[in-house]
Amino acid sequence: MGRLADWGNYPVIDAEPLEFEQPEELREQLRSAGAYIAYGNGRSYGDASLQKKVLHTRRYRSLHAFDPVTGVLRAESGVLLAEILELFVPRGWFLPVSPGTKFVTLGGAVAADIHGKNHHVEGSFGAHVLELEVMRADGSIITCSPEQHPEFFALTVGGMGLSGVILKVSLQLKPIESAYIEQQTLRATRLEELMAAFEKSANWNYSVAWVDTLVRGEQLGRGIFMRGRHASADQLIEARARQAPLQGRTRASLSVPIFMPNGLLNRSTMQAFNWAYYQKTPAGTASSVIDYERFFYPLDGVKHWNRMYGKRGFMQYQFVLPRASSALLKPILERISASRCGSFLAVLKLFGEQESFISFPMGGYTLALDFPVTIDVFKLMHELDAMVLEGGGRLYMAKDARMDEQMFEQSYPQADAFREAIATLNSGSTRFASLLSNRLGITS
């Protein structure tokens, strides 16, 4: 047994780690009755991959096949997105969808149906998955796709690992000419400017905004809007980039060696950071060509940055509101600012339409907020829950650490059907369940 947590370091539990390198070893582990959940690289924020028995997948990470003509990759679930990028960007291929960190396993990306800055154009990760191999609780392996066993495929993509352990993934990569991004930034003075920028950027592959959650009044929702697209080789200016367009730059990596004192990230330090970050961005629109690491993964340059929140940890509260309810973003930001809790990192994105069984995205705006774990933050989140429900929105299970069963049922239209399907799969003495699924009443 050992202490285990996901990225938010909340909650922390005692867990028995189980590893495997081959499906036969995993099948042997599952012969012992009990509840299990797969655990990749621990980058979900709450308790989605926590259980008394966790099946570590990182040792199961071979690449099986790649078609250089079509860009289809077949790989084991424990491989990191970072490892895929390192190998295939120099060959002219990129991930179809990427979250804000590259240190996510391929299996975790499927289980959470991750989204990125390009959802409004290219959808979520699952839209680019061609086929899956999944080991069920009874040790059998099912091959599924949108055409073969589509119901099981829909249960697995976004199903938070509850249908079984994802073994292999066939993924469609996308071609690129360079390892660089054409980026434009806009300093917006209020929320309405940010939202207008999103609406005017439909022809850009990627768009995202940082929001200052501490300001009030006329400046409410001010922030930095960023949009980008993969740069062609002809757009590269620097000699080094033109000579090797598919070789990105290696960034110097910083590290937070220990947990910082609880309370280090408080309103005063956050206000200072927010002011400096906002002011360093030029007024108006600024254009540049930057390497993909800087555009997609700015926080990955600081190892263990989660330790900045202290040993109490932090929670990410990410919700989505349908377009018809996007006006609720303003009162939500007003409530956050008035609470004086503040969010050190607040990221706004625009989703395109998505119809799926249990995945998080829907057409509308999503806001992700990082809060240190405090009693006041729990009270604030409870109030925000009511506002999100009022607008017909929902919370992202991969980031959640405290949503209750009632909110899950009210915000996910397929909640009952999902629960019934998982109960059918869990009918034996071995089952898949997590702290998250138990809390939401999906499992018991």
Side-chain angles (χ1 to χ4, degrees):
M1 299 289 284
R3 302 292 282 169
L4 187 68
D6 279 328
W7 190 245
N9 203 45
Y10 176 86
V12 182
I13 67 166
D14 289 319
E16 179 183 359
L18 303 168
E19 297 181 331
F20 64 97
E21 293 184 7
Q22 297 296 330
E24 292 75 17
E25 294 174 321
L26 174 60
R27 187 178 289 112
E28 185 64 31
Q29 300 278 17
L30 295 176
R31 287 200 173 101
S32 297
Y36 299 79
I37 197 68
Y39 185 98
N41 203 36
R43 285 302 182 112
S44 56
Y45 280 64
D47 54 7
S49 60
L50 298 184
Q51 180 55 272
K52 290 183 178 179
K53 294 181 179 181
V54 292
L55 299 160
H56 286 265
T57 65
R58 278 290 289 135
R59 295 180 67 180
Y60 190 68
R61 57 181 181 186
S62 297
L63 303 182
H64 282 247
F66 178 70
D67 188 326
V69 176
T70 64
V72 174
L73 170 68
R74 182 173 174 80
E76 294 174 350
S77 61
V79 67
L80 294 179
L81 300 188
E83 293 164 340
I84 295 174
L85 290 167
E86 182 179 3
L87 185 60
F88 289 101
V89 168
R91 299 185 183 189
W93 297 93
F94 201 78
L95 295 167
V97 170
S98 180
T101 175
K102 60 182 178 178
F103 298 120
V104 174
T105 62
L106 185 56
V110 175
D113 195 16
I114 59 172
H115 53 268
K117 301 174 178 68
N118 59 338
H119 189 280
H120 64 292
V121 176
E122 296 172 280
S124 60
F125 199 82
H128 308 273
V129 174
L130 305 180
E131 187 179 87
L132 297 172
E133 281 188 16
V134 184
M135 183 173 288
R136 298 168 55 179
D138 61 4
S140 64
I141 295 176
I142 183 169
T143 299
C144 59
S145 70
E147 295 78 32
Q148 184 179 9
H149 302 297
E151 297 86 359
F152 190 84
F153 183 83
L155 272 178
T156 303
V157 176
M160 305 309 299
L162 299 175
S163 65
V165 178
I166 298 169
L167 295 176
K168 297 183 181 69
V169 180
S170 294
L171 179 68
Q172 177 67 64
L173 302 184
K174 64 180 179 181
I176 54 173
E177 288 188 31
S178 79
Y180 294 83
I181 299 293
E182 176 192 356
Q183 175 185 260
Q184 288 188 350
T185 60
L186 169 69
R187 193 170 76 181
T189 61
R190 59 186 185 277
L191 177 64
E192 290 79 3
E193 287 185 23
L194 283 180
M195 295 178 71
F198 276 108
E199 300 297 339
K200 294 176 182 177
S201 302
N203 61 329
W204 288 74
N205 293 88
Y206 304 102
S207 59
V208 66
W210 166 84
V211 183
D212 187 344
T213 61
L214 297 178
V215 295
R216 306 177 71 175
E218 293 184 358
Q219 291 186 311
L220 182 78
R222 75 175 182 183
I224 309 299
F225 175 80
M226 291 154 279
R227 61 189 181 189
R229 51 193 169 209
H230 292 279
S232 66
D234 292 339
Q235 289 178 285
L236 305 183
I237 299 173
E238 295 183 5
R240 175 183 173 183
R242 292 185 68 86
Q243 290 172 1
L246 290 169
Q247 295 293 331
R249 294 189 174 183
T250 301
R251 290 190 299 169
S253 181
L254 303 175
S255 181
V256 180
I258 60 172
F259 283 101
M260 295 292 103
N262 293 323
L264 176 66
L265 294 181
N266 53 47
R267 186 174 179 86
S268 296
T269 57
M270 282 189 271
Q271 279 182 321
F273 172 84
N274 287 2
W275 182 87
Y277 186 71
Y278 183 77
Q279 294 297 327
K280 82 177 184 67
T281 302
T285 302
S287 300
S288 59
V289 176
I290 62 174
D291 66 274
Y292 77 87
E293 295 265 4
R294 285 177 57 198
F295 183 80
F296 288 102
Y297 314 115
L299 283 176
D300 282 349
V302 182
K303 294 180 179 178
H304 308 296
W305 63 262
N306 56 334
R307 293 175 178 172
M308 295 177 65
Y309 285 91
K311 287 188 175 181
R312 280 203 304 253
F314 74 101
M315 293 180 289
Q316 185 168 105
Y317 187 90
Q318 182 169 2
F319 65 90
V320 59
L321 291 172
R323 275 183 179 272
S325 302
S326 59
L328 274 175
L329 280 172
K330 191 168 185 178
I332 286 175
L333 285 173
E334 287 173 342
R335 182 66 198 93
I336 294 169
S337 181
S339 73
R340 301 186 66 83
C341 292
S343 171
F344 181 69
L345 188 66
V347 177
L348 183 68
K349 292 193 287 283
L350 177 62
F351 282 162
E353 296 297 328
Q354 177 169 331
E355 294 293 332
S356 54
F357 185 59
I358 200 63
S359 293
F360 167 68
M362 66 170 72
Y365 284 90
T366 178
L367 183 64
L369 305 145
D370 286 357
F371 294 101
V373 174
T374 66
I375 294 176
D376 288 341
V377 163
F378 275 98
K379 293 178 180 177
L380 171 63
M381 288 183 175
H382 184 70
E383 295 177 19
L384 297 182
D385 288 348
M387 301 175 79
V388 171
L389 281 177
E390 177 189 349
R394 55 179 172 245
L395 304 184
Y396 190 18
M397 287 188 282
K399 304 291 183 69
D400 178 56
R402 35 71 59 198
M403 175 171 38
D404 60 28
E405 182 176 346
Q406 183 179 12
M407 182 164 187
F408 173 66
E409 291 181 346
Q410 292 178 350
S411 57
Y412 279 82
Q414 302 295 335
D416 287 340
F418 182 63
R419 182 187 297 111
E420 291 173 5
I422 297 304
T424 300
L425 294 174
N426 276 342
S427 58
S429 59
T430 298
R431 65 191 187 279
F432 293 108
S434 63
L435 297 192
L436 170 82
S437 67
N438 290 343
R439 174 165 47 82
L440 299 184
I442 302 169
T443 56
S444 58

